[in-house]
Amino acid sequence: MYLMCKVLFMLLISQVYSSPRKKSYSEIKSCNVGNLAEEIASYDSVVRDIMNYVVSGPFKRKTYDELEKFVDKFGARISGSQVLEDSIDYMIKLTQDEDLTDIVTEELEVPHWVREQEKITMLKPRSKNIAVLGLGKSISTPPEGVTADVVVFSNFEEFDNASIEDVKGKIVLFNPIFTTYHETSPYRTHGAARAAEKGAVASLIRSITPFSINSPHAGVQHYSENVTKIPTAAITLEDADLIKRFYNRGEKVVLNIKMHSSFETKTSRNTLIDLKGTKNPEKLVIVSGHIDSWDVGQGAMDDGGGLFVSWAAPIILKRLNLIPKRTVRAIFWTAEELGFVGVNAYAEKHKNESHNINFIMESDEGTFAPRGLSVAGTQEARCIIAEILKLFESINASTLIETDRPLSDIAFIVQNGIPGASLHNANEKYHWFHHTEGDTMNVENPEELDLCTAFWTAVAYIIADISVDIPR
């Protein structure tokens, strides 16, 4: 299964990390959903009940407090690790304690890449230690490391114009200025393979972030077939710019890179929690987030917050005895960070049931103040979701962004025509902490997490309960 997922990952990764195509919001404003608008408006009292229960009632700070205990107990949860499996067991027990017992786990093979020794030393034009984080599944260097001159490129266009002689035997540093994650992350995912094609002995990237306090950012990369694998790592904005300044002045920059890691496959699990529908239990409204994290930081923001708002949705609905017509299913994806392995396994296992997915949602770009949803689907589907979002104008969460590829796991499901959405939230500083040691509980806010929880729960309930399926 893991090998099949790897192939799917290689085929689809460029689509997920490319810029989402957004359409004009004016089309949504002119939607006419007929009598359905009145039906959706009738859920206003349900929205208020859920909001009150979460924001000021018995569930106040519950999401934050449970996330805090989870993060403090387990910390980082790298794919294939025992701590990840223990955290899955913990979430199952936490759910059972809420008297929600319709829980299924589905086993799959996942990559287990373990970071060990990592050190970069600048030898010329002066001696300096360079902060470093190896990129996921990078190969190791020889024990003595790799020592070579550095050649710097600001973008792939500059690199493409360079000759093989300019690159061969060198360490390539890709130093693009951050624009958006989708535009800049290909330097991380594809940089090593591109550099190796011209004979580079190692590759480095400027961390994919707009802001740094000398903090390198981890992330997955992928090697191309029939291209030599070379060690690859991220360095900080500060060190990348220092190297570039030396390079631009014509000074030779020599680095020694020592990296050692191990790689194998392990068994992990996707976790499925169902609140069965009363009328059409076979039809699913899925809320989801991934439970694994990188091995740096604590995975509080990426994706502990998304995990816990999705955990909370069926819990809150059960507590309030709001059982919708369709089933609300919470899914905790495993092994997202090292290649969307969990979601690909789920999609393959359930491919003959995909017609029953009415709508799928994922939170994986922060759980800060909710602003609305980023929605993929037909124009009619978006019109219905836009009508639902009108119920959240009071918390400034009524924005609908049209995209063909909501992030991140569910992109591999919605590409087959299944309507879905990711959480749109006030995450302007998300990539400051993304994939770093700074991803801790300090970046989470209990009030904003409550708003996300209430919003996520109420949207899922309405979609699962209205009289019509979301059209495809």
Side-chain angles (χ1 to χ4, degrees), residues 221-240:
Q221 58 85 37
H222 98 133
Y223 292 118
S224 297
E225 298 295 328
N226 303 317
V227 175
T228 301
K229 294 180 180 180
I230 59 176
T232 182
I235 62 175
T236 69
L237 274 57
E238 294 87 342
D239 284 335

Side-chain angles (χ1 to χ4, degrees), residues 433-453:
F433 308 101
H434 181 247
H435 293 182
T436 73
E437 291 288 2
D439 183 1
T440 68
M441 283 302 297
N442 292 61
V443 305
E444 293 291 329
N445 177 283
E447 289 77 22
E448 292 182 348
L449 197 53
D450 278 347
L451 286 173
C452 280
T453 299

Side-chain angles (χ1 to χ4, degrees), residues 307-322:
L307 167 71
F308 269 86
V309 297
S310 297
W311 167 81
I315 300 298
I316 293 165
L317 295 179
K318 188 174 191 303
R319 283 190 179 195
L320 293 175
N321 198 30
L322 290 169

Side-chain angles (χ1 to χ4, degrees), residues 385-461:
I385 301 302
E387 199 68 35
I388 292 171
L389 291 178
K390 289 180 182 179
L391 296 171
F392 301 93
E393 290 177 348
S394 64
I395 62 167
N396 195 30
S398 59
T399 298
L400 187 148
I401 295 176
E402 295 190 274
T403 180
D404 293 335
R405 291 184 294 273
L407 286 181
S408 57
D409 282 293
I410 65 170
F412 296 90
I413 292 178
V414 301
Q415 68 170 354
N416 294 319
I418 296 169
S422 54
L423 177 65
H424 172 51
N425 64 114
N427 64 350
E428 293 81 5
K429 295 182 179 180
Y430 177 76
H431 287 107
W432 291 22
F433 308 101
H434 181 247
H435 293 182
T436 73
E437 291 288 2
D439 183 1
T440 68
M441 283 302 297
N442 292 61
V443 305
E444 293 291 329
N445 177 283
E447 289 77 22
E448 292 182 348
L449 197 53
D450 278 347
L451 286 173
C452 280
T453 299
F455 173 77
W456 207 235
T457 301
V459 168
Y461 175 77

Side-chain angles (χ1 to χ4, degrees), residues 170-381:
K170 306 284 181 62
I171 297 168
V172 169
L173 168 60
F174 289 109
N175 190 40
I177 302 301
F178 183 93
T179 51
T180 67
Y181 184 68
H182 309 288
E183 291 178 352
T184 316
S185 60
Y187 291 92
R188 187 191 74 212
T189 52
H190 301 301
R194 296 284 292 271
E197 287 176 350
K198 290 189 176 181
V201 295
S203 72
L204 301 173
I205 63 159
R206 175 192 182 94
S207 285
I208 308 304
T209 181
F211 177 80
S212 174
I213 307 179
N214 207 44
S215 50
H217 291 233
V220 73
Q221 58 85 37
H222 98 133
Y223 292 118
S224 297
E225 298 295 328
N226 303 317
V227 175
T228 301
K229 294 180 180 180
I230 59 176
T232 182
I235 62 175
T236 69
L237 274 57
E238 294 87 342
D239 284 335
D241 286 338
L242 172 64
I243 291 170
K244 182 179 181 180
R245 291 195 298 272
F246 282 136
Y247 183 80
N248 287 348
R249 289 195 290 261
E251 299 183 63
K252 179 181 285 192
V253 181
V254 180
L255 300 180
N256 174 260
I257 302 175
K258 291 180 179 178
M259 295 171 56
H260 191 268
S261 59
S262 62
F263 180 80
E264 58 185 327
T265 59
K266 296 279 190 175
T267 300
S268 188
R269 297 162 287 170
N270 285 324
T271 307
L272 287 55
I273 299 168
D274 284 356
L275 179 67
K276 292 295 187 184
T278 57
K279 183 177 180 182
N280 302 111
E282 76 285 357
K283 295 184 178 180
L284 304 174
V285 173
I286 296 173
V287 291
S288 66
H290 67 85
I291 191 168
D292 66 307
S293 75
W294 275 105
D295 56 342
V296 292
Q298 298 174 317
M301 180 187 73
D302 183 20
D303 184 32
L307 167 71
F308 269 86
V309 297
S310 297
W311 167 81
I315 300 298
I316 293 165
L317 295 179
K318 188 174 191 303
R319 283 190 179 195
L320 293 175
N321 198 30
L322 290 169
I323 313 301
K325 298 179 180 71
R326 301 168 189 83
T327 294
V328 172
R329 170 172 289 177
I331 301 181
F332 310 151
W333 309 112
T334 194
E336 185 270 351
E337 296 292 7
L338 281 171
F340 309 108
V341 182
V343 70
N344 278 317
Y346 179 88
E348 176 64 21
K349 182 178 179 66
H350 296 272
K351 62 184 177 183
N352 294 328
E353 308 158 34
S354 61
H355 62 282
N356 280 328
I357 301 178
N358 185 46
F359 200 74
I360 185 166
M361 298 159 59
E362 180 182 25
S363 172
D364 188 22
E365 282 200 328
T367 44
F368 306 102
R371 292 290 178 259
L373 294 174
S374 179
V375 182
T378 64
Q379 189 63 24
E380 187 179 1

Side-chain angles (χ1 to χ4, degrees), residues 456-467:
W456 207 235
T457 301
V459 168
Y461 175 77
I462 296 167
I463 296 173
D465 197 61
I466 57 175
S467 60

